Amino acid sequence: LKPVVAISSSFFQRAFDQLVHDAALQKSPVLFALDRAGIVGADGPTHHGVQDIAMFRQVPGAALAAPRDCGVLEALLRTVLPSLDRPTGIRYPKGLEPERAALPPENPVMGRGQLIRPGTDAVILAAGVMVSPAVGAADILARRGVRAAVYDPIWLKPLPEDEITDICRGVRAVVTVEEGCLAGGFGEGVQALLSRTPVTRLGIPDDFQPHGSHGDLLSRLGLDPEGIAEAVLKAVESQ
């Protein structure tokens, strides 16, 4: 049997020991469906699910995917579950589906992502539902003469290292965007991979986030299209 454990991201924090000892150490094929991942707005400070990326990244043998929309989520469940051979998390947010940026890959292989939009000046590496605002940021940048690629890694562990390295080669700026904590997060993994390339990381700072609407909180954190575009422009201009 391959159990599917559906649990809110913030509640999963209490099960970290079980992930390590009862799943990862045993190499158990368990799928963790982590809902309410990221900023949850009206649910308040206790329910923001922003630690799950950092938790999974430090556990040996565990894997973690972040689908950008329902189409990618469905594709992941269809292809990953039958061949599951390790504890694997799939994180997705509370609320309505984000605007679809591209058709999902037919076969989302573990450790492979998807180029959403080409570009030669900068690369925005956007995790999960941050793909949609990243595409919005690329539209803003295009009007200002900056051609920004948008890449969806789909897998935050293992990272699509070869694809990320290739797409970031020769560009003027690399920016990572995640709806998770910066400490130990997706951006840190990219920064370690591209050790000789400056990487600007956008995400949740080392602070508890307040109650508020989802849109307002993302705007305050610079995780909306305007904030992402501004960060890319600063990174490009600094080169």
Side-chain angles (χ1 to χ4, degrees), residues 106-189:
E106 293 184 5
N107 183 24
V109 177
M110 187 174 291
R112 293 183 60 183
Q114 185 178 12
L115 180 64
I116 305 299
R117 177 171 177 154
T120 55
D121 296 321
V123 175
I124 306 172
L125 303 171
V129 294
M130 289 290 97
V131 169
S132 183
V135 170
D139 290 336
I140 295 172
L141 291 164
R143 295 193 290 270
R144 302 184 67 170
V146 176
R147 295 165 294 179
V150 177
Y151 175 79
D152 177 6
I154 300 178
W155 290 95
L156 309 185
K157 185 185 181 183
L159 283 176
E161 293 186 353
D162 292 342
E163 293 181 355
I164 291 174
T165 300
D166 288 343
I167 197 174
C168 293
R169 185 175 290 115
V171 298
R172 297 167 62 190
V174 176
V175 176
T176 65
V177 190
E178 59 193 301
E179 202 174 352
C181 61
L182 289 170
F186 162 65
E188 275 197 2

Side-chain angles (χ1 to χ4, degrees), residues 16-36:
F16 180 70
D17 182 69
Q18 291 173 297
L19 168 64
V20 175
H21 290 281
D22 301 329
L25 187 61
Q26 313 300 329
K27 300 181 180 178
S28 299
V30 182
L31 182 67
F32 297 96
L34 306 175
D35 70 277
R36 287 171 168 79

Side-chain angles (χ1 to χ4, degrees), residues 20-233:
V20 175
H21 290 281
D22 301 329
L25 187 61
Q26 313 300 329
K27 300 181 180 178
S28 299
V30 182
L31 182 67
F32 297 96
L34 306 175
D35 70 277
R36 287 171 168 79
I39 295 293
V40 295
D43 287 344
T46 57
H47 283 56
H48 295 308
V50 298
Q51 272 85 37
D52 52 18
I53 300 175
M55 284 193 294
F56 270 82
R57 283 193 65 237
Q58 66 182 291
V59 177
L64 180 66
R68 64 179 177 268
D69 57 33
C70 294
V72 179
L73 173 59
E74 180 181 352
L76 283 168
L77 290 171
R78 185 179 65 250
T79 59
V80 171
L81 189 57
S83 59
L84 196 66
D85 62 355
R86 70 187 75 184
T88 300
I90 299 180
R91 74 186 308 261
Y92 51 92
K94 173 186 177 182
L96 299 175
E97 177 185 17
E99 182 177 349
R100 294 198 174 189
L103 292 175
E106 293 184 5
N107 183 24
V109 177
M110 187 174 291
R112 293 183 60 183
Q114 185 178 12
L115 180 64
I116 305 299
R117 177 171 177 154
T120 55
D121 296 321
V123 175
I124 306 172
L125 303 171
V129 294
M130 289 290 97
V131 169
S132 183
V135 170
D139 290 336
I140 295 172
L141 291 164
R143 295 193 290 270
R144 302 184 67 170
V146 176
R147 295 165 294 179
V150 177
Y151 175 79
D152 177 6
I154 300 178
W155 290 95
L156 309 185
K157 185 185 181 183
L159 283 176
E161 293 186 353
D162 292 342
E163 293 181 355
I164 291 174
T165 300
D166 288 343
I167 197 174
C168 293
R169 185 175 290 115
V171 298
R172 297 167 62 190
V174 176
V175 176
T176 65
V177 190
E178 59 193 301
E179 202 174 352
C181 61
L182 289 170
F186 162 65
E188 275 197 2
V190 173
Q191 196 169 45
L193 174 65
L194 306 176
S195 58
R196 298 183 179 181
T197 302
V199 176
T200 299
R201 298 181 296 120
L202 302 180
I204 311 301
D206 191 22
D207 195 10
F208 291 105
Q209 300 306 303
H211 171 281
S213 75
H214 184 251
D216 287 345
L217 291 174
L218 289 185
S219 178
R220 188 175 67 84
L221 292 164
L223 298 178
D224 58 354
E226 292 77 15
I228 297 169
E230 187 62 29
V232 174
L233 279 174

